Amino acid sequence: MYDSLRSLSCFADIEAITPIAQGLSQHCYKILADNRCFFAKTINSSTEVTIALSAAKQHFSPVVYYHDSKWLVTEFIEADNLASSKLCYTEKIITSVSLMFGC
């Protein structure tokens, strides 16, 4: 997998590749390259790319930097899970409803 990632045309200089295994069903990686941080995952269908591109266009998901028949590369976003945040229950509901309304 690492050689496959290193050969993608979207990266000029890969500094680090870190596998992400928690809670994901596909091979996923955090990529430090070109002074930026990316999320790369293997894909099984073009439908996932279509959805990712559409969601990114509407600002519901990270920007798609690269895709082909095997890989989807987006901006890497590191954030806490709303469920485990220190917000009070009411604030969690307000945030959730606001996000759902936006969709």
Side-chain angles (χ1 to χ4, degrees), residues 25-84:
S25 60
Q26 294 163 296
H27 296 286
C28 299
Y29 303 88
K30 179 178 180 180
I31 312 289
L32 297 176
D34 310 321
N35 297 314
R36 297 170 77 180
C37 193
F38 299 92
F39 175 75
K41 68 184 281 188
T42 57
I43 58 171
N44 298 320
S45 75
S46 61
T47 303
E48 187 167 359
V49 171
T50 301
I51 291 168
L53 289 168
S54 178
K57 185 176 181 180
Q58 297 177 48
H59 307 287
F60 292 141
S61 67
V63 172
V64 175
Y65 288 102
Y66 176 86
H67 63 86
D68 62 20
S69 64
K70 296 179 184 175
W71 291 101
L72 176 66
V73 178
T74 65
E75 171 187 19
F76 186 88
I77 297 175
E78 193 161 353
D80 292 328
N81 184 322
L82 183 60
S84 63

Side-chain angles (χ1 to χ4, degrees), residues 6 10-16 32-35:
R6 291 186 186 283
C10 60
F11 302 125
D13 181 33
I14 294 179
E15 301 155 31
L32 297 176
D34 310 321
N35 297 314

Side-chain angles (χ1 to χ4, degrees), residues 82-83 85-97:
L82 183 60
S85 77
K86 296 187 187 294
L87 292 174
C88 70
Y89 185 71
T90 303
E91 286 298 317
K92 289 178 183 181
I93 291 173
I94 290 169
T95 300
S96 298
V97 170

